[in-house]
Amino acid sequence: SAKQEDLQLYKASLLQEILNVNLTNAKLYQNYRKARRDSQTDHLTGVGTRRVLEKVLKTECARAVRYDHSFCIAIVDVDNLKQINDNAGHATGDKVLRDLAKIMCSNVRAMDTVARYGGDEFVLLMPETKQSSAKALLERLRHQVQTISIPNNVPAVTISCGMAEWNSSAQDTAQLILKRADTALYEAKRTGRNRVICEICA
C-alpha cells in the first residue's frame, strides 16, 4: 500500500541521514587525528616537534622535583648548515637533518625524547640521567654524525652540543634548564664548534 511505501521511504531516508552523520563524524575524527599527529611529528625528520618537547620537559621537571631524580637536556646544532645548503643544495641540507635525526633516534633509549627545536637544532631530553652518561652519549653522536656522506666536497658534517643537568631545585624550571643548555651550546659554537659543552650545575 501507499502507506507502507511512504514508511519504507521514510526509513530509507532516515537510514541515509544516519549514515551521512556517521561518515561526517568519521572524517572529522580522522582529520582531528591527522592534525594532532602533525602537531606532534616534524614532517622532515619524523622526530617530535617543539610542542611535544615543551610538554614532555614540563612533565619531567615536575617529576624531578617530586622524586628527586636527575635528568639532562641537550641542544644539538648542525654546524655550518647554511654552507652545506649553499654548496650542495637544500635537498642535501634536508638529508643531513634527516640523517642526524636517525642517528639520534638509534642511539637513545625508549624513555628519551628527541625533538626538532628549530631549523638546524634538535633537543634531546634524557630522564634519569647524570651529566657523565649524557656527555658520553653526545660524544658518540658527534663521532657518528661525521659519517654522514654529502657530495661536492663539502666539509664533513659536524655538530655542536650544549647540555645542562637539572640542578635539584624546584626553582629550576623548564625555561631555565633550556636556557642553560642554550648558553652551553653558544659556548661550543664560540670555541670552535664540533664539540660538547656541559654546563656544571651546582
Side-chain angles (χ1 to χ4, degrees):
S1 70
K3 214 171 188 181
Q4 278 181 320
E5 277 180 29
D6 286 349
L7 187 61
Q8 282 179 331
L9 280 171
Y10 172 70
K11 280 182 180 176
S13 65
L14 195 62
L15 184 61
Q16 190 60 52
E17 277 301 308
I18 292 166
L19 287 172
N20 286 344
V21 168
N22 286 344
L23 191 63
T24 302
N25 285 344
K27 280 180 182 170
L28 286 171
Y29 181 64
Q30 202 173 20
N31 290 343
Y32 162 75
R33 284 190 55 144
K34 185 182 183 304
R36 189 178 164 85
R37 197 167 56 244
D38 288 350
S39 72
Q40 293 179 338
T41 308
D42 176 60
H43 285 297
L44 179 66
T45 62
V47 300
T49 58
R50 185 176 185 143
R51 189 172 169 183
V52 167
L53 171 78
E54 286 166 355
K55 189 176 176 185
V56 175
L57 179 56
K58 198 175 173 185
T59 304
E60 190 55 35
C61 281
R63 204 174 73 87
V65 169
R66 186 170 180 183
Y67 299 108
D68 195 28
H69 288 176
S70 192
F71 72 91
C72 288
I73 193 156
I75 304 178
V76 177
D77 183 272
V78 179
D79 294 326
N80 303 312
L81 185 65
K82 185 183 183 306
Q83 188 183 335
I84 293 169
N85 284 332
D86 290 347
N87 291 354
H90 285 271
T92 301
D94 287 350
K95 180 190 177 297
V96 167
L97 293 172
R98 281 194 299 270
D99 288 352
L100 170 56
K102 277 180 200 166
I103 288 169
M104 290 180 75
C105 290
S106 66
N107 277 278
V108 300
R109 306 161 299 176
M111 69 195 297
D112 298 332
T113 299
V114 178
R116 189 172 175 202
Y117 198 63
D120 54 358
E121 283 185 351
F122 292 82
V123 173
L124 176 54
L125 174 64
M126 298 162 275
E128 310 279 337
T129 305
K130 289 288 189 185
Q131 192 182 94
S132 56
S133 301
K135 186 174 184 192
L137 168 62
L138 292 168
E139 287 291 359
R140 194 161 68 243
L141 291 177
R142 194 174 66 79
H143 287 289
Q144 285 185 24
V145 161
Q146 293 178 49
T147 66
I148 295 173
S149 61
I150 44 178
N152 300 346
N153 299 319
V154 180
V157 177
T158 60
I159 54 173
S160 297
C161 310
M163 192 197 80
E165 184 180 352
W166 181 63
N167 69 10
S168 303
S169 154
Q171 282 70 48
D172 197 13
T173 62
Q175 194 176 4
L176 285 174
I177 194 168
L178 259 177
K179 190 176 178 186
R180 294 207 316 277
D182 195 49
T183 301
L185 173 65
Y186 175 78
E187 188 63 13
K189 292 281 192 186
R190 191 187 69 79
T191 53
R193 300 187 175 94
N194 190 20
R195 63 197 62 213
V196 177
I197 296 286
C198 307
E199 189 179 73
I200 297 163
C201 314

